[in-house]
């Protein structure tokens, strides 16, 4: 049914008073959907026949393919796409014909029903189908092929869909995305609407994907005052949470107050009062919202630091446990106290066929005689061989050695170089749903030596969990390149462990070995780290494609990664080649490049299913990455930065499966797809701890503010065999010249020094 204004002014209620047109149609296809604000471009079938579909745009938050919609809005014309209907609001109308019901059920809207079962169910129940599912779902067992298990699944999915729809309709006015409405429902169930109305700021801390800004918008819509103390306290905690997302463990009090005033647009005095209440909660409330403490700031001057409680506890616990390990009289490898090192190193030389350099020898002795030690150095300096030597000697004395790294790729590499089993830190600790570890201070790991590679990636919270699980008397060795970017999460653990005057002994390998000197990748990594422009002329493994225009550089990056490298070097564009971008946004950013690379490497095919989620389309074969820590997925959780490939996609059960780098198959419900992003291109920050045969790096003036030496150095050191830079010499010069601006706000070095 279509109603639209005619040329005589129908559709007007009076002079200047607009009356909405009404359009009833079946939603056939979603062309584009913005998950942030619900803006949707879709094609609908008005039932007029002829197979023609009409374009509708606007507020279709939560609408599902196959649903019959009653839309209010206005008619218009797009210069490129022609006639279209702009939706102001809509309601769902259940289909009234058998054909409509069949299409509705077969659209994938109800989990467990695809086109085949939709046909069987409607053939059996006819026009009564929806009423049967609603009121007598057990009768579905009458349909051939529908057993009790699937029948229950369909009934549960129908009920959940109804409940989620109710929440979505309530949230529609505040532009909360479909996926977030689903998360709210999964978190609070039937209490969802009550929580949203009465405690909206809970959403920011309880529901992943809802930050303070979304919760604040909801709070305003339900009438919470602008200057409410509840709002100000939530805003302060949000500002601190943002700071931890940027790598800081705390914020100086003055900076936090200034940030909160700017964010909340309220008086400074009110912010100061609410901060005081957060730090000293009323009697009977055991848990403060924040902790204040005097510490030396990044410049060494004292500041009043304000921490979120988990980060303050973790910093205290990590420093205390490192010092406890260092000072204990117990030793689980006592044989190395009095070892004849000349004899031991001679045995090692016979075993490996290679002689250690003096600084490598020093590192081997340190790891086997000190309870906590750090080994650092750049590429080609022999870190890997030194670690292998340490493990060989420890195992020769029958020591129990555990090897770990923050990512699956890094753990695989560690296992290959040592010939011993290695795992991710998360698997080693057996993290459980909720994030607690199976191993901790009360139940330590059974190990004499724990080696952690790629330690620059360890953030404060993970490092604390790890060190807690190391038993007294065991030796703990951190291995990593301190000149790389710091961890994605809060803290600078490796740098703090290496701080001048600190208690943790360390060796820095500086000599580049002759074989590594022949590598353009290694040579240029060290040149960049020293503030020198990389050499590209005459190199067999390091190339520069000059392109000053940012948009053209983006297109050239895709061509190099998807076509030129595979053709010249025989590398697989999905498995072996990784595009590393300085930033996510922009024409040469990871976001835009992912879309272009997907088209080139995993294009859509009519015979293969795909799932559109927001602005992304997921297909079998897609390279994807997890973008949040989720302790409830997989065997021991799936973590921010985990990479994998989509191996199956089931529109009926609304699930896709990802095979991760750790060879674990992890299922994702379609409503969880906001946890996944494509990974044909990733930001350099997200590439930490990973190593790829070839990397392609767009370095353009469009990413000017991000161009820093440690960023480019990290990108180059991710490559095993080949680096291709695409962009402008000016942008590369900016990256090489610019030293990272300042330290993060952490106090771990201060606590370790016991000052």
């Amino acid at each position: 049914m279509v109603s639209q204004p005619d040329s005589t002014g129908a559709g007007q209620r009076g002079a200047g008073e607009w009356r909405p047109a009404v359009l009833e149609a079946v939603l056939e296809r979603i062309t584009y959907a913005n998950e942030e604000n619900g803006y949707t471009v879709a094609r609908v079938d008005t039932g007029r026949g002829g197979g023609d579909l009409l374009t509708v745009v606007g507020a279709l938050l939560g609408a599902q393919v196959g649903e019959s919609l009653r839309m209010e809005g206005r008619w218009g014309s797009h210069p490129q796409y022609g006639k279209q209907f702009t939706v102001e609001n809509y309601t769902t109308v259940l289909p009234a014909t058998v054909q409509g019901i069949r299409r509705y059920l077969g659209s994938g809207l109800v989990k467990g029903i695809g086109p085949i079962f939709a046909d069987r169910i409607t053939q059996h129940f006819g026009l009564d189908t929806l009423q049967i599912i609603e009121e007598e779902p057990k009768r579905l067992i009458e349909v051939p092929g529908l057993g009790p298990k699937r029948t229950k699944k369909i009934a549960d999915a129908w009920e959940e869909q109804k409940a989620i729809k109710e929440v979505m309709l309530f949230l529609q006015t505040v532009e909360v995305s479909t996926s977030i409405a689903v998360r709210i429902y999964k978190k609070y169930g039937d209490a969802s609407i009550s929580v949203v109305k009465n405690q909206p700021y809970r959403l920011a801390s309880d529901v992943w994907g809802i930050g303070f800004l979304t919760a604040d918008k909801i709070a305003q819509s339900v009438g919470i005052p602008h200057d409410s103390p509840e709002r100000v306290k939530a805003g302060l905690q949000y500002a601190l949470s943002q700071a931890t997302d940027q790598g800081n463990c705390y914020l100086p009090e003055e900076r936090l107050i200034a940030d909160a005033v700017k964010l909340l647009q309220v008086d400074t005095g009110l912010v100061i009062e609410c901060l005081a209440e957060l730090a000293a909660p009323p009697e009977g409330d055991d848990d403060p919202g924040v902790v204040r403490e005097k510490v030396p700031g990044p410049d060494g001057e004292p500041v009043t630091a304000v921490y979120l409680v988990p980060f303050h506890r973790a910093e205290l616990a990590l420093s205390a446990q490192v010092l406890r390990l260092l000072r204990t009289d117990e030793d689980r490898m006592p044989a190395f106290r009095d070892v004849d090192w000349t004899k031991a190193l001679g045995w090692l030389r016979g075993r490996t066929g290679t002689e250690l350099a003096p600084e490598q020898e020093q590192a081997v002795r340190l790891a086997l005689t000190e309870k906590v030690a750090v080994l650092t150095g750049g590429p080609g300096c022999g870190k890997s061989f030194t670690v292998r030597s340490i493990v060989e000697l420890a195992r020769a004395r029958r020591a129990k050695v555990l090897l770990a790294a923050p990512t699956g790729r890094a753990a695989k590499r560690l296992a290959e170089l040592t010939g011993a089993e290695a795992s991710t830190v998360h698997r080693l600790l057996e993290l459980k749903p909720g994030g607690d570890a199976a191993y901790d201070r009360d139940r330590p790991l059974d190990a004499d030596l724990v080696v952690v590679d790629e330690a620059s990636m360890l953030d404060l919270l993970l490092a604390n969990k790890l060190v807690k699980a190391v038993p007294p008397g065991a030796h703990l060795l951190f291995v990593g390149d301190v000149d790389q970017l710091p961890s994605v999460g809060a803290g600078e653990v490796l740098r703090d462990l290496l701080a001048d005057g600190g208690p943790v002994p360390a060796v820095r390998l500086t000599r580049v070995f002759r074989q590594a000197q022949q590598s353009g990748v290694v040579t240029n990594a060290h040149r960049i780290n020293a503030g020198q422009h990389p050499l590209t002329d005459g190199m067999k493994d390091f190339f520069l494609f000059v392109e000053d225009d940012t948009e053209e550089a983006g297109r050239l990056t895709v061509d190099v990664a998807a076509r030129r490298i595979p053709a010249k070097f025989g590398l697989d564009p999905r498995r072996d080649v990784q595009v590393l971008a300085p930033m996510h946004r922009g024409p040469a950013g990871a976001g835009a490049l992912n879309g272009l690379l997907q088209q080139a490497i995993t294009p859509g095919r009519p015979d293969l299913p795909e799932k559109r989620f927001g602005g992304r389309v997921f297909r079998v074969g897609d390279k994807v990455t997890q973008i949040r820590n989720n302790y409830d997925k997989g065997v021991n959780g799936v973590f921010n930065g985990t990479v994998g490939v989509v191996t199956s996609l089931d529109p009926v059960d609304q699930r896709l499966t990802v095979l991760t780098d750790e060879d674990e198959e992890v299922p994702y419900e379609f409503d969880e797809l906001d946890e996944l992003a494509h990974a044909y291109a990733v930001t350099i920050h997200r590439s930490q701890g990973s190593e790829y045969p070839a990397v392609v790096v767009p370095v353009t003036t469009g990413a000017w503010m991000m161009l820093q030496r440690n960023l480019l150095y990290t990108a180059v050191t991710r490559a095993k065999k080949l680096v291709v830079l695409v962009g402008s010499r000016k942008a590369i010069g900016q990256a090489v010249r610019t030293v990272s601006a300042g330290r993060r706000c952490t106090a771990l070095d201060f606590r370790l020094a016991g000052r």
Side-chain angles (χ1 to χ4, degrees), residues 484-485 521 525 528 542 578-582 682-685 687-688 690-692 694-699 708-720 722-725:
Q484 287 182 21
L485 289 168
V521 175
I528 290 164
F542 202 105
Q578 184 62 57
V579 174
L580 302 179
V682 297
T683 61
I684 296 167
H685 280 86
S687 73
Q688 291 167 263
S690 294
E691 197 176 60
Y692 316 94
V695 301
V696 184
V697 190
V699 189
Q708 294 176 350
R709 186 180 302 168
N710 61 352
L711 190 85
L712 186 57
Y713 174 74
T714 300
V716 169
T717 55
R718 299 306 87 212
K720 283 195 279 194
L722 175 69
V723 171
V724 181
L725 304 182

Side-chain angles (χ1 to χ4, degrees), residues 147-159:
K149 194 173 177 183
R150 188 177 285 270
T151 298
K152 183 177 187 313
K153 188 176 179 182
I154 291 169
D156 290 346
W158 180 267
E159 285 303 313

Side-chain angles (χ1 to χ4, degrees), residues 36 174-176 180 203 209-219:
E36 296 302 313
V174 288
E175 298 181 342
V176 173
I180 293 203
L203 302 174
I210 296 189
F212 171 80
L213 300 179
T214 302
D216 197 35
K217 193 188 293 184
I218 295 170

Side-chain angles (χ1 to χ4, degrees), residues 493-505:
V493 173
L494 186 62
R495 190 177 297 277
D496 284 341
L497 289 168
L498 285 164
D500 290 342
V504 180

Side-chain angles (χ1 to χ4, degrees), residues 452-473:
V452 188
D453 199 9
E454 293 289 355
S456 62
M457 285 188 70
L458 283 178
D459 62 40
L460 175 67
L461 299 182
L462 184 58
N464 179 44
K465 284 185 169 72
L466 171 67
V467 177
K468 267 185 188 173
V470 177

Side-chain angles (χ1 to χ4, degrees), residues 623-641:
K623 187 176 180 178
V624 293
T625 181
Q626 175 82 7
I627 58 173
R628 65 170 288 226
N629 289 344
N630 187 334
Y631 296 98
D632 300 323
K633 294 200 79 65
V635 178
N636 298 120
V638 181
F639 299 90
N640 190 351

